[in-house]
Amino acid sequence: MRNELLLIVTLLVLYGSVLLWFFLFGTSGLMSFTVFATIAANIEVLILVQAFGMEMTLGNILFATTFLVTDILSEIAGKKQAQQAVWIGIAANVLFVLVSQSWLMYVPSVNDWATPYMQAIFSNTPRLMLASLAVYAIVQVFDVWLYHKWWEFTQRRSGDRRAFLWVRNNGSTLVSQLLNAILYTLFAFYGRYDLPTLVSIILSSYVIFIFTSLLDTPIVYWARLIHEKRQAVG
């Protein structure tokens, strides 16, 4: 149960961190968190673990937090701010790919011990990063678009702009995460793992995404409450 416990704790810490960064730094904190999450997830995704009876890559929870961030931004700041977070995440990843690949071009000192480990990790980074950039751009833009389509639908049906947050939150994220699980797994790992492993990764990733999507709904409500209290005070 060690891996399962670590995943649960990681989820709680990361979701709590999104809320804390928003509370402390506002929308700038959410933008900063997007940079952290997209870069860290692309390194963490190299690790395969067994948990909950499935084989899965790490990084799924961190990727899930980027959907949480764009949903919060969509809810409190609008479509433009949410899309800006997506482009900031992409720009940060492009810069990280360039910088991390430059590390491998240096001739190491005779006393260096880190280079072989860095090469083992970051020689795999370009494919994963390029896959991530392509999928992240497609899926996140789609998620922001779908969030606001659901919002238009719920507002028409209820006549209340604030109502049915849980519908637009889960209605957009669950569809987007399925697309994310399929595209990222195929782009990043096709040819590296056999078909059964790829299918296992897709299914396990989506199971995790379903779980994280349902659990992030209270965080979006909480973030909206923080935002509304600040507006009332300010």
Side-chain angles (χ1 to χ4, degrees):
M1 289 295 292
R2 178 177 177 177
N3 286 349
E4 290 82 356
L5 181 60
L6 283 171
L7 285 169
I8 292 170
V9 171
T10 299
L11 177 67
L12 295 175
V13 169
L14 289 174
Y15 278 13
S17 296
V18 170
L19 201 58
L20 179 62
W21 285 28
F22 174 61
F23 178 77
L24 293 176
F25 310 116
T27 56
S28 297
L30 296 178
M31 300 288 186
S32 300
F33 192 92
T34 296
V35 172
F36 155 73
T38 52
I39 292 175
N42 281 297
I43 299 172
E44 192 180 40
V45 77
L46 291 167
I47 304 171
L48 279 177
V49 298
Q50 287 280 349
F52 302 106
M54 301 176 290
E55 187 172 48
M56 65 182 70
T57 64
L58 291 182
N60 288 335
I61 293 175
L62 269 171
F63 276 123
T65 62
T66 65
F67 289 87
L68 171 60
V69 167
T70 54
D71 282 358
I72 292 173
L73 286 170
S74 288
E75 186 68 25
I76 67 166
K79 187 176 182 179
K80 185 176 179 180
Q81 286 280 350
Q83 289 176 331
Q84 186 178 32
V86 174
W87 297 120
I88 286 173
I90 291 171
N93 274 277
V94 169
L95 182 59
F96 181 74
V97 168
L98 295 175
V99 172
S100 64
Q101 291 310 295
S102 74
W103 300 338
L104 307 183
M105 299 172 66
Y106 287 92
V107 177
S109 165
V110 294
N111 296 315
D112 173 79
W113 58 268
T115 297
Y117 302 100
M118 300 292 279
Q119 288 174 335
I121 295 173
F122 291 108
S123 62
N124 293 308
T125 298
R127 176 177 177 177
L128 293 177
M129 284 288 189
L130 290 174
S132 176
L133 285 173
V135 174
Y136 182 80
I138 293 168
V139 175
Q140 287 283 14
V141 169
F142 175 75
D143 180 68
V144 172
W145 172 83
L146 189 57
Y147 188 97
H148 287 271
K149 285 298 180 183
W150 275 112
W151 203 340
E152 291 172 8
F153 174 75
T154 56
Q155 187 173 357
R156 283 198 308 268
R157 294 298 297 269
S158 67
D160 183 356
R161 183 171 174 78
R162 295 181 77 260
F164 293 105
L165 187 159
W166 63 273
V167 172
R168 51 186 176 268
N169 171 230
N170 291 294
S172 61
T173 303
L174 288 173
V175 176
S176 301
Q177 291 283 33
L178 177 59
L179 186 63
N180 179 54
I182 294 171
L183 291 181
Y184 184 79
T185 301
L186 293 179
F187 286 7
F189 300 120
Y190 184 78
R192 182 172 298 173
Y193 300 123
D194 59 22
L195 183 58
T197 301
L198 292 175
V199 173
S200 174
I201 291 172
I202 290 172
L203 292 176
S204 62
S205 296
Y206 191 55
V207 168
I208 293 295
F209 289 147
I210 291 173
F211 183 70
T212 55
S213 175
L214 295 175
L215 286 182
D216 78 10
T217 303
I219 306 299
V220 181
Y221 273 99
W222 201 341
R224 187 174 71 175
L225 180 62
I226 292 172
H227 175 69
E228 289 174 344
K229 285 186 175 180
R230 282 178 175 168
Q231 284 189 318
V233 171

